[in-house]
Amino acid sequence: MQLLIKGGNLVNTEKLTIEKADVLINDGVITAISEQLPINGAEVIEAADKLVCPGLIDMHVHLREPGFEAKETIATGTRAAAMGGFTAVACMPNTNPIVDNAAVVRSILELVRAEGVVKVYPIAAITKGSKGAEITEMGDLKEAGAIALSDDGQPVSDSGVMRRGMQYAHMLGLPVISHSEDKSLAAEGAMHEGYYSTVLGLKGIPAAAEEVMVARDILLAENTGCRLHLAHISTAGSVELVRQAKRRGVKVTCEVTPHHFTLTDADVVGYNTATKVNPPLRTAADVAAVKEGLADGTIDVIATDHAPHTAEEKAVEYQYAPFGLVGLETAVGLVFTELVAPGVLTAAQAIAKLSCMPAAVLAVPGGKLAVGERADITIIDPERKEKVDPTGFASKSKNSPFVGRVLKGLPVVTMVNGKIVMKDRRLTI
Ligand SMILES: [Zn+2]
Ligand SMILES: [Zn+2]
């Protein structure tokens, strides 16, 4: 079947330019890109005044299956991704069982084939059970389909274990994704340690809990030659550490989440447990530093850390609530509202951080629109507005701190391998 995306503004993620062009898709592959293409019986998708982007890739999500299906499943999580404009996601291994052996990787990929609506790349654990003691069989995990290694949710506290993990990962050519947190400094805090934690009477997590591990992992990456990707950095100090490391030529990349460039610790006032995330929401100065890091290229990737939890789990006192918020369905709107509209990033720069950059970090296909590429395409309407209403989320969980916020700039088509899975803000599958 032929599809023709007509009159759209094509985002070129290599040159960071935007140019008007038609895109022809044949059997799931892009077969022509030109200023004017004839319709010739193709099904037409009108894209005038819209951004035609390489399919967005979220390299940090928690799909919760196997083990926590009350929060999310591969079926619902990939639908939430499609609603959010993502054609692919990488899923973290802190499921039950933990993704620490090849059989679990294979079972996830099987479920994805049966029930997934976007592409899913499994991330496997660095250590068995993510317990931080014994390295996993990384070769087996890679062979089964794992594209990166991470003990997300659990920092690898033992530096010797982390170094060994990086050495093996380096031999296999897999990146290590670090959840940078020193547990002894975080000390079971519930929010950022500062003015608001004092005012609210909540135990704080200091910025240093993140920064000492960011520094350690950068040094270990330098020592081992391993490709290191720092998940969800959130402090001005972390941004500066990455900036300096990149100047020295360390193979380090990093990501920031939409909530960390949108919200601050002041948003915890009122004790809404949807604002309880790890790392915690930081200060206005940290948000400013994160935006600067995005603009100057220190921060490579925007990823959601989509972390669904049931309403029951979150309906407890702030200090007892689990960490995490759902991010897939609000990410593009927040990127356009908070970064593109105020001029922190151009639309093309923002799309690059949501497509070709994560593809490069994970060494997976996608991230550019070109003849011969698979037709993974996201179309964004930069003018479209919507009020965030979690009751309409495709995700099983609704733990969003953005309820009621009006976002401008939303995905209107998600296409995976030439198949439309979301159109006009509705799932089509
Ligand atoms: Zn994490
Ligand atoms: Zn995470």
Side-chain angles (χ1 to χ4, degrees), residues 135-395:
I135 302 298
T136 52
E137 301 290 342
M138 294 177 175
D140 289 357
L141 288 161
K142 182 186 179 182
E143 208 180 289
I147 44 79
L149 297 156
S150 180
D151 279 359
D152 187 42
Q154 286 297 332
V156 181
S157 295
D158 186 311
S159 303
V161 173
M162 189 59 156
R163 177 163 179 251
R164 219 156 32 245
M166 284 196 190
Q167 284 168 333
Y168 280 107
H170 181 47
M171 284 193 298
L172 293 164
L174 292 175
V176 163
I177 303 175
S178 162
H179 169 107
S180 308
E181 181 188 7
D182 182 317
K183 285 277 189 197
S184 65
L185 286 170
E188 289 167 17
M191 68 174 294
H192 174 69
E193 181 184 279
Y195 172 78
Y196 286 101
S197 63
T198 307
V199 167
L200 295 168
L202 290 169
K203 213 165 173 210
I205 301 171
E210 174 175 314
E211 291 157 4
V212 295
M213 287 300 246
V214 165
R216 183 202 74 171
D217 288 345
I218 285 171
L219 293 174
L220 291 177
E222 209 162 4
N223 172 269
T224 59
C226 177
R227 283 197 294 129
L228 170 70
H229 179 79
L230 299 162
H232 47 51
I233 65 164
S234 67
T235 75
S238 296
V239 176
E240 187 50 33
L241 284 163
V242 175
R243 187 177 284 128
Q244 288 170 12
K246 283 188 168 181
R247 270 188 208 139
R248 301 202 290 281
V250 183
K251 283 185 275 178
V252 60
T253 53
C254 67
E255 73 194 25
V256 70
T257 70
H259 47 279
H260 285 116
F261 62 65
T262 303
L263 303 173
T264 68
D265 54 350
D267 290 291
V268 181
V269 174
Y271 302 96
N272 177 0
T273 56
T275 63
K276 187 173 174 186
V277 283
N278 187 3
L281 301 172
R282 302 291 187 180
T283 67
D286 293 307
V287 171
V290 159
K291 286 182 176 170
E292 214 181 297
L294 281 162
D296 72 11
T298 302
I299 299 169
D300 309 88
V301 168
I302 297 168
T304 67
D305 194 3
H306 177 79
H309 292 292
T310 65
E312 294 72 30
E313 290 168 299
K314 280 284 197 180
V316 294
E317 271 182 73
Y318 202 88
Q319 67 255 45
Y320 302 119
F323 290 101
L325 57 79
V326 286
L328 282 167
E329 293 172 73
T330 49
V332 168
L334 289 167
V335 166
F336 275 79
T337 308
E338 299 291 325
L339 301 179
V340 179
V344 176
L345 296 178
T346 66
Q349 285 172 327
I351 298 306
K353 290 182 200 291
L354 286 161
S355 62
C356 64
M357 301 301 282
V361 172
L362 300 175
V364 298
K368 66 175 180 190
L369 294 177
V371 171
E373 292 280 322
R374 300 300 303 177
D376 291 350
I377 296 173
T378 304
I379 302 179
I380 293 169
D381 183 348
E383 295 303 314
R384 184 140 175 175
K385 283 188 198 170
E386 201 172 272
K387 197 186 252 189
V388 177
D389 175 10
T391 60
F393 281 175
S395 172

